[in-house]
Amino acid sequence: DAGVTQSPTHLIKTRGQQVTLRCSPKSGHDTVSWYQQALGQGPQFIFQYYEEEERQRGNFPDRFSGHQYPNYSSELNVNALLLGDSALYLCASSPGGFSGANVLTFGAGSRLTVL
Amino acid sequence: DQQVKQNSPSLSVQEGRISILNCDYTNSMFDYFLWYKKYPAEGPTFLISISSIKDKNEDGRFTVFLNKSAKHLSLHIVPSQPGDSAVYFCAASGGNNNDMRFGAGTRLTVKP
């Protein structure tokens, strides 16, 4: 049973460019959350998708947007990249809608470097 | 706004001894707490959790203690094994938010 898969694993962009990261949740999970983990920091919540809608959002600017498809897979888009967007982007899935009591299953992440 | 804090960036213990990792939180609305373990090049994996109605939860070698009055939780690993060497994140959720807030992590090294 495949867990959470993310692509690409690594990518390099330049300032001002746009990036799309992809995530397939664990089988049986319908909720996807995205986190940004900067070097030496813990994961920071970006947003959460359930039933193809953004249900909750962390303290991130509108340059960060997302989408969830009917098969529960999800994308994270970041526009007008800044150097400070360099980080590991983690996708996590969970079952049964958004609930703080749900255990998150994480992917290995997509490491974004902005030059 | 760092609501979950892990003040020790690293911890080193000898194999067979106890490892104690600490976590403090500021939001009294948190009612669910979790510990995740992360190996290099892998995503965090769930280790153990505790709800605010309990003060202790045990799973094998791992025990989590919750002190609500102090807004403090700790993870005890007994006995520690070299394979436990990883970064441990404390996380909390609850209140008006269903997202999970993470601490900065503690890197545990268990020496053989």
Side-chain angles (χ1 to χ4, degrees):
Chain A
D1 174 29
V4 177
T5 57
Q6 292 186 242
S7 63
T9 54
H10 295 83
L11 68 167
I12 300 173
K13 294 285 187 178
T14 57
R15 281 178 296 175
Q17 285 189 313
Q18 179 266 344
V19 67
T20 297
L21 308 178
R22 296 177 174 81
C23 172
S24 293
K26 180 179 179 179
S27 177
H29 288 186
D30 57 9
T31 304
V32 174
S33 303
W34 286 92
Y35 286 80
Q36 179 195 65
Q37 186 181 7
L39 199 62
Q41 306 283 329
Q44 300 292 316
F45 176 72
I46 303 175
F47 43 55
Q48 184 181 71
Y49 276 84
Y50 173 64
E51 292 185 334
E52 301 178 50
E53 291 189 14
E54 182 183 299
R55 297 293 180 165
Q56 198 156 323
R57 188 178 185 92
N59 189 25
F60 279 80
D62 291 345
R63 299 187 297 107
F64 290 76
S65 63
H67 188 81
Q68 185 179 36
Y69 295 92
N71 67 352
Y72 309 124
S73 67
S74 177
E75 291 179 354
L76 163 66
N77 302 292
V78 187
N79 295 322
L81 285 167
L82 304 174
L83 295 179
D85 295 331
S86 295
L88 180 67
Y89 288 85
L90 293 164
C91 172
S93 70
S94 54
F98 54 101
S99 167
N102 282 339
V103 172
L104 300 177
T105 300
F106 282 88
S110 294
R111 182 162 299 282
L112 170 65
T113 301
V114 182
L115 302 176
Chain B
D1 176 13
Q2 191 175 1
Q3 299 185 38
V4 179
K5 297 180 181 180
Q6 294 176 257
N7 293 320
S8 297
S10 63
L11 174 68
S12 180
V13 300
Q14 207 65 36
E15 180 179 6
R17 305 296 289 269
I18 184 172
S19 295
I20 300 177
L21 295 91
N22 294 302
C23 177
D24 297 295
Y25 62 95
T26 57
N27 188 341
S28 59
M29 298 297 289
F30 285 145
D31 57 10
Y32 197 65
F33 304 89
L34 305 91
W35 285 92
Y36 283 82
K37 179 169 70 173
K38 186 180 188 301
Y39 292 118
E42 295 182 12
T45 55
F46 171 72
L47 189 58
I48 192 170
S49 65
I50 188 169
S51 78
S52 60
I53 62 173
K54 294 185 174 182
D55 54 18
K56 177 183 176 182
N57 188 27
E58 191 172 357
D59 184 2
R61 297 186 297 114
F62 303 90
T63 303
V64 56
F65 296 92
L66 175 62
N67 183 334
K68 284 181 289 184
S69 61
K71 294 190 180 67
H72 177 83
L73 66 156
S74 60
L75 173 68
H76 292 208
I77 306 174
V78 184
S80 301
Q81 300 173 353
D84 296 330
S85 297
V87 177
Y88 289 78
F89 291 103
C90 169
S93 65
N96 294 326
N97 295 313
N98 286 319
D99 60 288
M100 205 158 289
R101 305 293 174 110
F102 285 80
T106 296
R107 181 176 300 278
L108 173 66
T109 302
V110 181
K111 298 179 178 179

